């Protein structure tokens, strides 16, 4: 969907991005991760021509983006940044409607789309559509920022540290929300973060950058289990590798279906991560815990030994 072919960008003679080879595939969640100054934001901004590259070619759906009108290109790519960039004197509804208005959608269609997006992002349209940005919490503003980026149904969503300013609870909720939207619509998303756990949680394809170059790219499991350089190991924290692998897997991966346990133990959800399951094993002192589906139906059980022995899929061959 977006291909960077030998792309470089220099500032004052120094490369911010150097000879980048990267393909963000259609329907995939690509996450660019790396320390501050590693070239992540520059990469994202080159994709929608907020920054022009100095050499190489960037293709969007096969076309060299220099052949495309920048404004039209940006309408095909929603863009979300940390400081939401909402217009302070516009209501929530008008902020969300920015691009549909530019595209001259009929008023009724715009109003319907605004309400649909507010619902999608967990904001009650009645309560929120007529508010102004300063009447919202940080998390709510960020939701509106995401809704605005999705408004005209762009083919790609570019997100630069979109959850950076949020507290952990709101951050976790929005991460889940965006993952749900991505899976539901098979949307192509490219997200920038410097947060290791966020990157591992969201990425189909994880791209670790350093000094404007890609150090390694692949699935989260591949980077954790097969780091190609000490930089990768250091970035993900060697001592945390085991827990981070467990965080990538869910209770359903270890489920003993039908082995229902009697008793009053707090059950695990099938969608809980194995990391959180391990935490609940330690807290409860149990060797086995019951598992229910996300809507509460009994499914079976999980044993502590299964979690400890869980190796995960070694999918390195797939990258
Ligand atoms: N407009 C600019 N002018 C000069 N230098 C810049 C500009 N934008 C980015 N840089 C430099 O390019 C490098 C990469 O920046 P950036 O892409 O913002 O990194 P990241 O998003 O990974 O923190 C940094 O060294 C930064 O200082
Ligand atoms: Mg940045």
């Amino acid at each position: 969907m977006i291909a960077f072919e030998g792309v470089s960008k220099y500032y004052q003679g120094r490369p911010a991005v150097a000879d980048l080879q990267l393909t963000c595939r259609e329907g995939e969640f690509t996450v660019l991760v790396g320390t501050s100054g590693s070239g992540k934001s520059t990469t994202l901004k080159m994709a929608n021509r907020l920054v022009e590259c100095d050499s190489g070619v960037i293709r969007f759906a096969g076309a060299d983006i220099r052949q495309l009108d920048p404004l039209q290109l940006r309408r095909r790519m929603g863009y979300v940044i940390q400081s939401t960039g909402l217009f302070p004197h516009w209501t929530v509804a008008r902020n969300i409607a920015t691009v549909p208005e530019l595209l001259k959608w009929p008023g009724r269609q715009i109003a319907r789309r605004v309400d649909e997006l507010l619902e999608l992002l967990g904001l009650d349209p009645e309560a929120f559509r007529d508010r102004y940005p300063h009447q919202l919490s940080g998390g709510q503003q960020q939701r509106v920022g995401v809704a605005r980026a999705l408004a005209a149904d762009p083919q790609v969503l570019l997100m630069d540290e979109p959850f950076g300013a949020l507290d952990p609870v709101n951050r976790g909720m929005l991460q889940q929300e965006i993952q749900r939207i991505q899976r539901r619509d098979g949307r192509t998303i490219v997200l920038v973060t410097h947060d290791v756990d966020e990157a591992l949680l969201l990425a189909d394809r994880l791209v670790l950058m350093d000094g404007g170059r890609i150090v390694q790219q692949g699935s989260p499991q591949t980077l954790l289990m097969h780091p190609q350089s000490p930089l990768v190991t250091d970035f993900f924290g060697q001592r945390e590798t085991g827990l981070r692998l467990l965080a990538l897997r869910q209770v359903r991966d270890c489920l003993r279906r039908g082995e229902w346990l009697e008793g009053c133990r707090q059950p695990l959800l099938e969608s809980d991560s194995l990391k959180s399951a391990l935490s609940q094993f330690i807290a409860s002192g149990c060797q086995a815990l019951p598992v229910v589906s996300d809507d509460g139906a009994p499914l079976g059980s999980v044993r502590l030994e299964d979690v400890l022995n869980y190796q995960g899929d070694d999918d390195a061959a797939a990258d």
Side-chain angles (χ1 to χ4, degrees):
M1 174 105 306
I2 308 175
F4 297 82
E5 300 170 0
V7 170
S8 301
K9 174 72 193 176
Y10 296 88
Y11 287 113
Q12 287 101 35
R14 299 183 49 180
V17 171
D19 196 22
L20 187 77
Q21 297 285 346
L22 171 67
T23 303
C24 305
R25 297 202 192 109
E26 184 162 4
E28 259 191 1
F29 206 133
T30 303
V31 176
L32 309 181
V33 70
T35 51
S36 171
S38 53
K40 308 181 297 295
S41 294
T42 304
T43 300
L44 210 61
K45 286 180 194 157
M46 287 191 296
N48 66 5
R49 294 188 61 185
L50 286 175
V51 165
E52 300 283 353
C53 64
D54 291 322
S55 58
V57 176
I58 304 171
R59 294 184 192 282
F60 178 50
D64 183 338
I65 61 170
R66 278 171 301 198
Q67 313 295 324
L68 306 173
D69 172 56
L71 289 180
Q72 275 183 12
L73 179 68
R74 276 171 222 150
R75 279 173 211 157
R76 293 165 71 187
M77 299 186 186
Y79 184 51
V80 186
I81 51 176
Q82 178 173 328
S83 55
T84 57
L86 296 179
F87 302 111
H89 303 301
W90 287 9
T91 61
V92 163
R94 192 159 170 222
N95 266 289
I96 294 176
T98 309
V99 176
E101 293 276 1
L102 283 171
L103 296 175
K104 304 206 179 343
W105 288 15
R108 288 243 298 281
Q109 188 188 349
I110 293 180
R112 225 181 4 227
R113 182 66 177 151
V114 166
D115 284 3
E116 178 182 292
L117 284 161
L118 285 170
E119 299 258 11
L120 181 69
L121 285 145
L123 297 172
D124 175 17
E126 287 293 326
F128 285 95
R129 68 166 90 82
D130 296 320
R131 289 202 203 175
Y132 288 87
H134 75 268
Q135 297 168 318
L136 306 176
S137 72
Q140 290 162 348
Q141 288 184 16
Q142 209 61 43
R143 283 165 197 267
V144 174
V146 175
R148 181 175 60 175
L150 287 170
D153 208 11
Q155 289 161 290
V156 176
L157 202 53
L158 306 175
M159 310 182 89
D160 196 343
E161 312 229 5
F163 315 131
L166 302 182
D167 61 82
V169 173
N170 269 301
R171 193 181 179 111
M173 286 194 318
L174 257 171
Q175 285 168 345
Q176 277 180 7
E177 220 85 66
I178 209 71
Q179 208 165 30
R180 189 173 55 83
I181 293 169
Q182 196 263 342
R183 292 196 180 139
R184 192 191 74 157
D185 309 346
R187 201 174 287 276
T188 309
I189 298 185
V190 188
L191 179 138
V192 161
T193 182
H194 60 260
D195 183 291
V196 176
D197 293 305
E198 178 166 286
L200 291 168
L201 175 74
L202 295 176
D204 295 317
R205 167 162 297 261
L206 190 52
V207 181
L208 175 62
M209 296 185 69
D210 186 69
R213 295 175 185 277
I214 294 178
V215 184
Q216 190 174 349
Q217 56 178 307
S219 70
Q221 289 89 322
T222 300
L223 269 72
L224 285 174
M225 295 176 81
H226 305 283
Q228 281 170 357
S229 87
L231 267 175
V232 183
T233 320
D234 287 349
F235 188 79
F236 292 106
Q238 194 163 26
R239 288 160 189 269
E240 302 284 332
T241 303
L243 287 177
R244 292 200 154 123
L245 282 167
L246 285 182
L248 295 176
R249 292 299 172 188
Q250 289 157 0
V251 163
R252 62 169 69 88
D253 299 322
C254 276
L255 177 66
R256 294 179 179 237
R257 204 166 278 281
E259 282 190 25
W260 186 247
L261 298 168
E262 291 309 321
C264 57
R265 294 287 176 200
Q266 177 72 24
L268 300 167
L269 295 179
E270 62 167 338
S271 63
D272 281 340
S273 73
L274 289 184
K275 182 180 169 186
S276 114
L278 179 63
S279 169
Q280 292 182 61
F281 275 114
I282 292 169
S284 66
C286 294
Q287 298 295 311
L289 286 169
V291 178
V292 296
S293 68
D294 291 348
D295 35 30
L299 291 178
S301 63
V302 165
R303 295 188 191 170
L304 174 58
E305 60 191 291
D306 295 344
V307 175
L308 295 178
N309 293 331
Y310 190 71
Q311 298 292 314
D313 303 331
D314 190 348
D315 61 357
D319 290 306

